[in-house]
Amino acid sequence: MSEGPRKKRLPLRWLTLAEVVGLVAVTIAGLGYWDSHRERTIEERVRSAAERERKAEQQAQARAGALKQTFLMTAAAQDAGDWLRLTSVHPEQVIQTQSLTFPSDVRADEVETTGNPRIEAGWFNAGLAKALKARGRGGKEIQDRVPVGIVTVYIEDGQTKTDRALYLLGYSLHPHVLRADRVELEGLSLVRRGVGEDVRSAVDALWPKPDAKP
């Protein structure tokens, strides 16, 4: 048998030095581009992380500054609840005067204090007992809250500022047969700040009408 035609082998050609140098140059350029791209990516990630950290720090400082400027009060019961001592959470905020507004059917006029921030049960206990009786809640032990508006003038950083806020005043009512019912004050909780000029309307809006169910 005769052998079929043999396939011709392609001639083997060695790369020239110039071609080798060219391939090496292309490889080095590619590696350099990849390395440069990786460095830029890392730098961009670092910058982004630093920017996020900077913004978070600015926001934290802004919140801390806003909290510092916010007027907040705490109340501590004195003499078995006969009165509450009011103090600012921030000692640099010095209370000068306060005007306290109770619901209209509890006390019709405001109470003014100067230099001694406080709430006394005697300011409104009779009116509260009468108002509760009108609501069918008289003559029994009661633990509840009554709204009170407080306008505070205070000094901070040498400047006179005013805070207008609405609070809920916690109390217990202890009825007596032969003498007036006793109101025991328990504490104070903030409802909202930034109340407008008509504080009494804001207070009355939180206090149920006499014909409302308790």
Side-chain angles (χ1 to χ4, degrees):
M1 295 178 64
S2 60
E3 296 181 357
R6 293 183 177 181
K7 293 182 179 180
K8 293 182 179 181
R9 292 183 177 180
L10 295 175
L12 181 63
R13 186 177 71 84
W14 293 96
L15 296 176
T16 65
L17 179 60
E19 290 173 333
V20 172
V21 171
L23 288 174
V24 172
V26 170
T27 302
I28 292 175
L31 292 174
Y33 174 79
W34 178 82
D35 189 59
S36 176
H37 175 71
R38 185 184 64 174
E39 288 183 357
R40 286 197 301 270
T41 302
I42 294 175
E43 289 176 357
E44 183 63 29
R45 290 177 179 175
V46 172
R47 283 197 298 268
S48 297
E51 182 66 17
R52 288 194 298 270
E53 184 177 352
R54 184 183 66 83
K55 289 182 178 180
E57 184 177 355
Q58 288 178 344
Q59 291 174 352
Q61 290 176 351
R63 287 193 296 268
L67 181 60
K68 181 180 178 181
Q69 294 176 359
T70 300
F71 181 80
L72 298 173
M73 283 194 305
T74 60
Q78 307 291 321
D79 297 334
D82 284 344
W83 61 288
L84 297 179
R85 183 188 302 278
L86 306 181
T87 57
S88 172
V89 171
H90 306 295
E92 64 272 16
Q93 296 173 336
V94 182
I95 298 174
Q96 299 296 293
T97 64
Q98 286 188 315
S99 175
L100 296 91
T101 303
F102 297 94
S104 298
D105 60 346
V106 172
R107 177 163 179 153
D109 59 335
E110 286 74 27
V111 177
E112 307 287 342
T113 65
T114 301
N116 184 18
R118 67 197 186 279
I119 300 178
E120 298 181 13
W123 291 344
F124 65 95
N125 58 349
L128 179 62
K130 182 179 179 181
L132 291 174
K133 185 177 180 180
R135 289 162 172 76
R137 304 182 64 191
K140 55 185 176 181
E141 293 279 345
I142 293 176
Q143 188 174 32
D144 205 345
R145 296 175 298 177
V146 59
V148 55
I150 303 179
V151 179
T152 303
V153 177
Y154 62 99
I155 303 295
E156 182 182 36
D157 296 331
Q159 297 181 353
T160 300
K161 301 180 179 181
T162 301
D163 178 79
R164 311 173 72 87
L166 194 62
Y167 293 85
L168 286 177
L169 177 61
Y171 69 91
S172 296
L173 182 69
H174 306 284
H176 297 288
V177 178
L178 299 178
R179 51 193 177 92
D181 296 344
R182 179 176 182 271
V183 174
E184 179 183 346
L185 302 183
E186 298 178 348
L188 197 68
S189 61
L190 177 67
V191 176
R192 65 182 173 92
R193 302 175 63 249
V195 178
E197 294 292 331
D198 193 356
V199 179
R200 182 166 297 280
S201 293
V203 173
D204 286 341
L206 279 182
W207 186 241
K209 301 299 180 182
D211 56 351
K213 293 182 180 180

